[in-house]
Amino acid sequence: MAKIVVDVMLKPEILDPQGTAVAAALPRLGFSFAQSVRQGKRFEIEIEGEPTVEQLAQVEKAAETLLANPVIETFTVRVEK
Amino acid sequence: MKVGVVTFPGTLDDRDAARAVRFAGAQAVALWHADSDLHGVDAVILPGGFSYGDYLRCGAISRFAPVMQTIITRAGEGMPLLGICNGFQVLCEAHLLPGALTRNSELHFLCRDQKISIENNKTAWTSSYSQGEEIVIPLKNGEGSFQCDDATLARLEGDGRIVARYVGENPNGSRNLIAGITNERGNIVGLMPHPEHAIDSLTGPSDQGLGFFTSVLTAMVNK
């Protein structure tokens, strides 16, 4: 069984109020390392056996159509062993 | 004249939208998300709510409902289509309108009476208003911040496709105070605040939202 991971992030120019809220909360807890925080989504898709090139292309298509909104988000697809 | 009002699982404002249609003098027809038949309607409203629980992104799953496939085709042929709040989010996800609605800049769910100005009274849904008219209708959403890239914003502004703008302080971080936009043809309008909750002063802050629903009757008569 293989796991295909799709990471979705807001484009850098899109305001991310959730990330900003996290960045503001960190120093209140004594964590002073963060210059900025962006929050995204991660999808884990399990498939039978090793993914074929065609399956990965289908995942790309699904990510572009449903998992991410290309108007405001970018995504990456990778296989995790 | 028949105006369809779509119900998705999680839609809230379909009854108020249907009531507004009847107040304006048209027949409201309930449309179900899983039924691709539009039952002979002349125009469609996608009402507010939390379709599919707002899972994934607001409107992202509704966009692929069977009823939407027919609506997308008919709207492309010129049928008047109004998306309010969650309906606006569905229109953006379906790429019928540009841009996207994202989390309010202050992260809070907003529920208030909001003043907006009508910036384009040439659309199928705004002809009952005068240009620049200011009205007060409810605004209630968690993800109402209109975002798009600079080129899209310049095109929307240049072509007069901003239908409504917030007046006063920006409530949710929307670019250029945008509360509503239209497509090039002017038959599709997306609006974040809720005109259907302001059709008579007994139950709403004003009756100033009714104009959206009387406008579409005029548009259908003049077709």
Side-chain angles (χ1 to χ4, degrees), chain B residues 138-203:
Chain B
L139 174 71
K140 52 173 184 117
N141 62 71
E143 309 207 9
S145 177
F146 181 80
Q147 299 297 322
C148 62
D149 58 32
D150 291 343
T152 305
L153 190 65
R155 199 168 67 242
L156 288 172
E157 290 284 358
D159 297 347
R161 285 168 57 191
I162 315 294
V163 170
R165 255 188 255 271
Y166 301 113
V167 175
E169 202 180 329
N170 194 332
N172 50 25
S174 290
R175 296 201 75 178
N176 290 21
L177 292 161
I178 288 172
I181 58 171
T182 185
N183 63 337
E184 277 168 30
R185 196 167 174 170
N187 64 308
I188 305 175
V189 168
L191 189 69
M192 201 26 76
H194 290 264
E196 80 282 17
H197 295 328
I199 56 164
D200 76 302
S201 49
L202 179 67
T203 56

Side-chain angles (χ1 to χ4, degrees), chain A residues 8 10-11 13-21 41 43 63-73, chain B residues 56-57 60-61 63-64 92-93 95 98-107 145 147-149 172-173:
Chain A
V8 178
L10 278 174
K11 287 180 179 173
E13 66 269 28
I14 302 290
L15 188 71
D16 175 18
Q18 294 184 102
T20 309
K41 288 191 193 97
F43 299 87
E64 192 187 323
T65 312
L66 181 65
L67 304 183
N69 177 355
V71 175
I72 49 166
E73 293 168 327
Chain B
L56 189 59
R57 293 178 307 278
I61 299 177
R63 169 212 168 174
F64 296 103
C92 287
E93 282 286 341
H95 306 307
L101 283 312
T102 62
R103 190 65 66 97
N104 292 346
S105 52
E106 298 301 322
L107 289 170
S145 177
Q147 299 297 322
C148 62
D149 58 32
N172 50 25

Side-chain angles (χ1 to χ4, degrees), chain A residues 5 9 11 15 17-19 22 25-27 32 37-38 41 46 52 56 60-61 68 70 74-76 79-80:
Chain A
V5 177
M9 290 300 295
K11 287 180 179 173
L15 188 71
Q18 294 184 102
V22 172
L26 285 171
S32 54
V37 178
R38 306 279 294 173
K41 288 191 193 97
E46 287 181 342
T52 62
L56 284 173
E60 284 269 347
K61 183 81 189 151
T74 57
F75 66 87
T76 56
V79 180
E80 204 168 79

